[in-house]
Amino acid sequence: AVTFDNVFSSTYRAYKLIGMVAPSQDTFVKFRFRSGGSDVNANTYSTMEGSTYVDGSGTGQANVSNNSNTYSFIAGNDINSDNNSDFVSFDLTVTDPNTDIFSRSMMTGTLAYRGATSARLYSSYFALGMHSNTDNDGIKFETHAGTLLFHSIRVYGMVNS
């Protein structure tokens, strides 16, 4: 797992999470916010990922979502796992993560990944809405199955206007 504690504060209202993750087996990446050094495990995550893909047969659509789950996810159609070429690349924006303005955090973003089915290339948009006020000060990324083969994730605070 990759854990960032004490990275979100009232200093910034929005943060960029930019990175890439490769799993050790075909799976998706899940994440949980953290508060006070602990995972936020409540049934408070509602996630939607809309994807268009292309493979040897042409293009298609594959959408995945969940409501009131104990985690959120990206690359919900499963990332293909290999040793040197397939991973998920993402650019996510977290708004008001520590809920000092509104009582719910939100996240939006885009991602690209090679899927586990027919070597499909997915281009996806992502949205997360929290159901409760969890006062997030961190975030943890992990795979749903297996382990992280490789990761590089950066967190940037964006200046308020």
Side-chain angles (χ1 to χ4, degrees), residues 63-117:
N63 300 320
V64 289
S65 62
N66 67 33
N67 187 44
S68 297
N69 208 344
T70 59
Y71 60 85
S72 187
F73 63 85
I74 56 174
N77 292 296
D78 288 346
I79 307 159
N80 187 51
S81 173
D82 67 16
N83 289 328
N84 62 6
S85 62
D86 292 340
F87 59 94
V88 59
S89 172
F90 56 88
D91 182 341
L92 307 173
T93 302
V94 185
T95 49
D96 198 26
N98 67 348
T99 59
D100 68 312
I101 301 296
F102 296 103
S103 63
R104 309 285 190 269
S105 299
M106 293 216 184
M107 186 185 296
T108 62
T110 57
L111 48 137
Y113 61 100
R114 183 73 63 184
T117 303

Side-chain angles (χ1 to χ4, degrees), residues 5 32-41 134 136-138 140:
D5 281 333
R32 291 182 175 93
F33 283 118
R34 292 179 53 82
S35 182
S38 297
D39 292 349
V40 175
N41 290 316
T134 55
N136 311 305
D137 58 20
K140 179 172 82 174

